[in-house]
Amino acid sequence: MKHTDLHGARVYFTEVGAGTDPYRDNFGTHVGENAEHVHERRRELSIRIGHPIVWMNQTHSAKVEALTPANAFLLSQEYQGEIGPLDCDGVVIDSRQWEQPPALAVMTADCMPILLSSGNGVIGAVHAGRVGFLGGILDRTCEVFASLGVDTADIQMLIGPSICGRCYEVPTSMKDQSALITPAIASRTSWGSDALDLPGAALAWATERGIAASWINECTLENPSYHSYRRDPGCGRFASVIATCRHA
């Protein structure tokens, strides 16, 4: 598992171990693997990073939830180390409201896992594929940060391992329609066909809003350390997790 620091928070990226089992090191309950195996991995991950983890039921929406101790109490905590899942594609918490703040997880296998931190305890995790990104999920995330008193200029953003603009081949019509919304998303594959550059478009989005942002610069299709739906549609999902350092 890789980790890095992000503006007062710690970010973790799980990796896929050796072998041929498509579900090895899988953290998604929706891909066909025995759910008990997934929950055991999630429990072990929670112990390893020292925080309970909030999980989401991700549906490529632009829905972002602000989680507080009051509404988290209403969520299922059936499995040790797990909170949720929340029905959304983004979640934000203000760790100052929590005695023991949880970590936030995103599951992906080519889409962008986007982690955000304000530096003063407000953190967020977003699942952003083509549909969610073009649907405005990052703008919605900024609105939730603002509702917690965070100015956009105080946010730092990290894009985790995701498919790159050299590999994300799409039909020409999809590329053209997407570029009408976000011109920076238009790209070409390394073999010359039309493509989308999600990390590049997300970085351009951040620059336009004065948000300090970076991409980890690891393509999930090119790097076998991560699950990739384009490489194997029957694969599992790896997890990207952000936790505040305040109680780490």
Side-chain angles (χ1 to χ4, degrees), residues 183-197:
I185 204 169
S187 185
R188 302 285 288 178
T189 65
S190 59
W191 52 95
S193 56
D194 286 307
L196 298 181
D197 183 358

Side-chain angles (χ1 to χ4, degrees), residues 57-234:
N57 280 329
Q58 301 166 186
T59 61
H60 297 276
S61 71
K63 184 178 180 182
V64 181
E65 295 284 1
L67 190 65
T68 68
N71 59 23
F73 179 76
L74 301 175
L75 294 174
S76 169
Q77 298 189 35
E78 178 182 356
Y79 297 96
Q80 183 182 352
E82 292 186 46
I83 299 174
L86 276 168
D87 291 324
C88 58
D89 284 82
V91 59
V92 177
I93 67 165
D94 182 347
S95 69
R96 297 167 298 185
Q97 299 179 3
W98 299 73
E99 182 177 347
Q100 294 182 314
L104 312 176
V106 184
M107 299 170 293
T108 53
D110 285 336
C111 291
M112 293 185 292
I114 299 181
L115 301 314
L116 308 101
S117 177
S118 69
N120 68 346
V122 181
I123 59 174
V126 175
H127 165 247
R130 174 184 61 87
V131 174
F133 175 73
L134 293 176
I137 192 168
L138 291 182
D139 285 317
R140 176 59 188 142
T141 302
C142 285
E143 292 173 0
V144 176
F145 268 80
S147 74
L148 296 171
V150 177
D151 187 85
T152 300
D154 295 327
I155 299 172
Q156 290 190 15
M157 182 177 101
L158 177 64
I159 306 168
S162 43
I163 194 167
C164 74
R166 300 182 306 273
C167 293
Y168 187 10
E169 184 179 45
V170 298
T172 298
S173 59
M174 181 180 291
K175 185 264 291 182
D176 291 343
Q177 291 166 4
S178 300
L180 290 175
I181 301 171
T182 306
I185 204 169
S187 185
R188 302 285 288 178
T189 65
S190 59
W191 52 95
S193 56
D194 286 307
L196 298 181
D197 183 358
L198 288 178
L203 291 174
W205 173 91
T207 298
E208 291 170 0
R209 289 156 180 80
I211 295 173
S214 60
W215 178 40
I216 199 170
N217 200 27
E218 290 189 280
C219 174
T220 45
L221 182 60
E222 296 174 337
N223 189 340
S225 295
Y226 304 104
H227 288 295
S228 168
Y229 185 84
R230 283 291 177 112
R231 188 191 312 121
D232 177 8

